[in-house]
Amino acid sequence: APIRNAGELLARMRPRNTQVETIAAIVRRQSMHLSRLVDDLLDVSRITQGRIELQHEPVDLCAVIEQALEVVGPLISENRHKVTLSGTSEPVYTQGDHARLVQCIANVLTNSGKYTEAGGEIHVELQVKGSEALISIADNGVGISPELLPRIFDLFVQSNRSLDRSQGGLGIGLSVVRRLIEMHGGRVSAASQGPGTGAKFVFTLPVISP
């Protein structure tokens, strides 16, 4: 927080100075990146120690997707990605923790944003099949190698598929996603035809009556 505050103060210095603004932008960007890494590490620690408590209540998955898209909005805008939505527009409910589900969807959307070239496409779809809801997130980005795909949700597994290695993390985000989704009684899978073919992630969650 102090580093982030320092970046904000630098950005507001007068008179305006291009060099100072550049430095402030770096401080803000890297402090946000550091914050995400720390949050992921804390989540892994809480999950492995069984200390995460979910707020169980009926959650509308349409609202979850909408909020997750808001979270990654700046990244999507910066990279000029085209995001399309399809599937049911009616409320679809599952039992779980709204904030944690938003975190999971936003995490995968962030990966799509990172690993898809500027101007690329990201497609989000919500479907109901029987007693299950399926949320799919597909992109036309750099894809996932066949060697990595079976281990993509393992802890500390990193992809070398990034277009910009500076955007890489510690390889724990998807592991957190899988564990949180499993705590909701669901599952998550990944598919890709290989490098250059894009990637698709599918969340499956139980549907309940509101």
Side-chain angles (χ1 to χ4, degrees):
I3 296 173
R4 195 155 43 200
N5 290 339
E8 293 296 335
L9 291 173
L10 277 172
R12 297 176 185 177
M13 289 181 65
R14 297 293 187 272
R16 300 188 70 83
N17 182 297
T18 302
Q19 187 175 11
V20 171
E21 290 176 352
T22 300
I23 294 172
I26 293 172
V27 171
R28 290 200 305 270
R29 184 168 60 251
Q30 294 304 319
S31 63
M32 290 176 62
H33 183 56
L34 177 61
S35 178
R36 287 194 296 269
L37 296 181
V38 172
D39 286 343
D40 281 349
L41 283 170
L42 289 173
D43 277 342
V44 167
S45 176
R46 295 186 188 107
I47 290 172
T48 55
Q49 296 179 42
R51 292 192 293 112
I52 278 192
E53 295 184 6
L54 301 179
Q55 302 297 319
H56 290 286
E57 60 182 1
V59 177
D60 179 8
L61 293 176
C62 290
V64 167
I65 293 172
E66 181 179 352
Q67 188 171 341
L69 286 169
E70 290 179 3
V71 171
V72 300
L75 176 63
I76 298 300
S77 297
E78 180 182 351
N79 290 329
R80 306 186 309 281
H81 290 138
K82 179 183 178 182
V83 178
T84 56
L85 298 172
S86 67
T88 179
S89 58
E90 298 295 322
V92 177
Y93 289 90
T94 192
Q95 187 78 9
D97 189 310
H98 179 91
R100 289 298 186 178
L101 289 172
V102 170
Q103 175 186 351
C104 292
I105 302 300
N107 184 294
V108 173
L109 284 170
T110 298
N111 279 353
S112 288
K114 286 181 181 179
Y115 300 134
T116 300
E117 294 184 3
E121 298 180 0
I122 300 172
H123 183 70
V124 183
E125 183 177 33
L126 172 61
Q127 294 179 305
V128 176
K129 293 187 176 180
S131 61
E132 294 181 325
L134 278 67
I135 301 173
S136 64
I137 300 172
D139 62 61
N140 62 348
V142 297
I144 306 171
S145 68
E147 296 78 16
L148 178 66
L149 192 58
R151 301 183 296 114
I152 195 71
F153 294 103
D154 291 350
L155 192 59
F156 298 118
V157 169
Q158 283 184 299
S159 171
N160 60 3
R161 67 192 183 109
S162 176
L163 296 169
D164 179 1
R165 291 295 296 166
S166 68
Q167 298 206 44
L170 296 177
I172 56 182
L174 288 178
S175 177
V176 169
V177 166
R178 181 181 65 179
R179 296 181 189 209
L180 286 175
I181 292 298
E182 288 174 348
M183 290 175 68
H184 282 81
R187 58 191 184 275
V188 58
S189 62
S192 175
Q193 297 301 312
T197 64
K200 181 178 182 179
F201 288 79
V202 178
F203 296 85
T204 304
L205 291 160
V207 172
I208 64 166
S209 300

